[in-house]
Each structure stands twice: as structure tokens, then as C-alpha cells.
Amino acid sequence: MRLRCRPGSVAAIADALAKRDDVNWVALSAAGCEITCATQSRTREQREELLGQRLPRTAAVIDINAFAMLRQFVGGRGHYWSALRGTLSPKEEAALGSSGPPFTESPVVTRDPLRLTPEDEKMLDALAEDGRASLVDLATAADLTPGRVSRRLDALLQHRVVHIDVEIAAAALGYHARANLWLRVHPSAAKSAGRALAQEPEVAFAAAISGPWNIHAVAHCRDLDELFEFTSDRIGSLTGLQSMEVSPVLKHVKQAGTRLFDDRLVEPSSARARR
């Protein structure tokens, strides 16, 4: 979603959105007058409460643009990301399974969704608290045997119900120019453009979306000059590109479910906040 708000109201609205379990990304842009956020509601009622009731009734929200993510081309770079180049030796990277291309493409939904059980909820709460929790720890939390936890966790990962990632505060690594890229490409070039974006080390996320822009991407660059070179030379030459809006991020409030303060990751107040 892109929310255009009255000056002076953005911080309070962004903070309220960041406190919600179903909002996992919140960023401020447009000189602090626009909020870009991502929602992942678990029920239709939860989604309609936010989009159909709460936000439209917020007087400080001037305009709402909501888009559906249709196809995800990349989500998170891990050790592929350019900021981590040279940190690991080739042998260490190979041990982590990084020999393949840094590219993933996946549908947003699965045709046969897997429903969470009460035991799943307990196990995921424990993982949200500590992503390195052992099978014994998860079994204790869910009141299951380690063997059952192992099999269930494998099923949740395979069905993409659970996603495990490493979160990075980009500014702490010297990447101070972050931007949302809104691209309008010819419909026949949407897939090729998304796949090309996914190959770029500066791109942390890329997806096909509904609405006037059909590709959305998030770029991390060291400074505005690098952002300009990247968007004009490499993104600007994409086949089928018709127009592009570069919207620099003024401040990240929440990323992947984790709050940020002064560009530093903040410990969540609860396990559910990181899910």
C-alpha cells in the first residue's frame, strides 16, 4: 500500500501500522508525507478491517493505493547480497549452498494451502523468539516429540507457510540510499523484467503487482549517486520499460516484521511481532 498523509501525521500512523501483526513492512518516503507498507492478513476479516474500515476512517490519510502482489521474483538476498561480498571465502559460501544463481521466483499463494494447528502456532512463536531454537526446544514449546516437530517444520517450509531469513540493517553496512522503484513495463515483458531485477545485487525485493505500476522493487545503494547510476543505466535499459518512479526511503520503521530505530534492528516486544 501507498498512503499519502497530511504533514505532521505520518509518524503516528506509521507507528500504529508497525504495531499490527498483519503489517510486516513500513517505510516513510516523499519527504515524510507518504507511507509504504506491506500487509499479510491471515483472514479476510483482518484485511477488510484495515483496508475497508480503519484506514479510510483515519482523517490524516488523504489517499490510499492498494496493490496485490501477483508474483514474487526475489525476497531477501542473504549472503548473495552485494554488501556481504568478500565476507566469506568461496569454500564457506559453497558450504552454505550459495553456488547456485541468486534468484527465486514463486507464486504468491499455493493451490493447496496448509492450515496451521495450535501446535504449529506454539512452535512458530518459539522460532520467532529464537530462530536458532533446537528441535528439542520446539518440541517442548509445542508439546510434541522432536521427530514430529522436524517433520512438521519440513512440511511448513515446503508449503511456504514458514519463511526463514536473516534480517540486515542496511544502513549499518553503509547503504544509505534506499528506494522503492515503481515500474510500468509492457505486459508481455513483466516476467522478463522481474527476473532481470532479481539478478541485480542492489535489489532486495522484486514482484509483479496489480495497478498502474506492474513491477515493484526495493533497491539498496550506498548513496544517491549510486542510486542514480543504477536506475538510469541498468534499470532504465530493461526491455519493455515504459516509465519508472524512484521514491527514496526517508526512514524504515519496520522490515520483515522487525522494528527499526535509528536504522538499528530492535528486539520485538513479543514473539508474534516477528511472525
Side-chain angles (χ1 to χ4, degrees):
M1 292 190 294
R2 299 182 74 178
L3 311 177
R4 192 161 55 92
C5 307
R6 299 186 189 281
S9 63
V10 170
I13 296 173
D15 185 65
L17 286 168
K19 291 177 180 177
R20 293 180 61 101
D21 296 340
D22 58 337
V23 176
N24 49 17
W25 288 86
V26 182
L28 308 185
S29 57
C33 291
E34 181 178 277
I35 298 173
T36 303
C37 61
T39 66
Q40 195 171 28
S41 302
R42 297 183 65 178
T43 65
R44 179 179 297 177
E45 291 76 19
Q46 190 181 43
R47 181 176 66 248
E48 292 176 350
E49 184 268 340
L50 178 62
L51 296 179
Q53 300 178 34
R54 188 169 296 273
L55 287 175
R57 293 176 181 174
T58 303
V61 176
I62 301 173
D63 189 39
I64 302 174
N65 282 299
F67 317 104
M69 187 167 70
L70 306 176
R71 175 69 57 84
Q72 181 173 300
F73 294 102
V74 65
R77 303 296 295 206
H79 47 278
Y80 292 124
W81 196 44
S82 59
L84 301 180
R85 282 179 183 161
T87 303
L88 303 175
S89 68
K91 184 177 180 179
E92 289 171 329
E93 289 194 9
L96 290 171
S98 61
S99 57
F103 174 75
T104 58
E105 179 178 346
S106 58
V108 177
V109 297
T110 55
R111 300 190 185 278
D112 300 312
L114 196 65
R115 299 194 179 277
L116 294 178
T117 66
E119 291 77 17
D120 292 336
E121 299 278 4
K122 295 175 183 177
M123 180 172 62
L124 297 182
D125 279 341
L127 272 176
E129 286 286 358
D130 181 4
R132 293 172 292 184
S134 67
L135 292 177
V136 174
D137 294 334
L138 299 180
T140 301
D143 196 23
L144 297 171
T145 64
R148 287 189 61 187
V149 164
S150 177
R151 291 189 294 272
R152 186 60 179 174
L153 185 58
D154 285 342
L156 294 174
L157 289 168
Q158 290 176 9
H159 283 77
R160 297 178 57 247
V161 176
V162 174
H163 175 70
I164 298 175
D165 201 359
V166 176
E167 296 186 44
I168 296 174
L173 296 177
Y175 286 74
H176 300 288
R178 295 159 289 175
N180 284 300
L181 309 181
W182 305 93
L183 282 63
R184 183 182 291 112
V185 302
H186 191 278
S188 64
K191 287 185 179 179
S192 60
R195 291 164 182 166
L197 283 169
Q199 304 289 343
E200 299 290 348
E202 291 85 354
V203 173
F205 173 82
I209 60 173
S210 63
W213 302 275
N214 50 359
I215 297 289
H216 173 228
V218 177
H220 291 267
C221 297
R222 296 191 181 277
D223 50 42
L224 290 175
D225 186 65
E226 185 174 287
L227 176 63
F228 172 69
E229 294 286 344
F230 172 61
T231 53
S232 61
D233 293 347
R234 285 148 61 194
I235 304 302
S237 63
L238 284 175
T239 301
L241 179 65
Q242 298 173 337
S243 63
M244 173 175 57
E245 178 183 342
V246 181
S247 180
V249 172
L250 179 66
K251 178 183 179 182
H252 263 119
V253 180
K254 190 177 186 180
Q255 68 175 42
T258 297
R259 296 292 296 268
L260 285 91
F261 180 75
D262 286 340
D263 288 321
R264 296 179 67 88
L265 300 174
V266 179
E267 279 292 325
S269 58
S270 66
R272 184 69 64 180
R274 293 199 62 180
R275 297 247 326 256

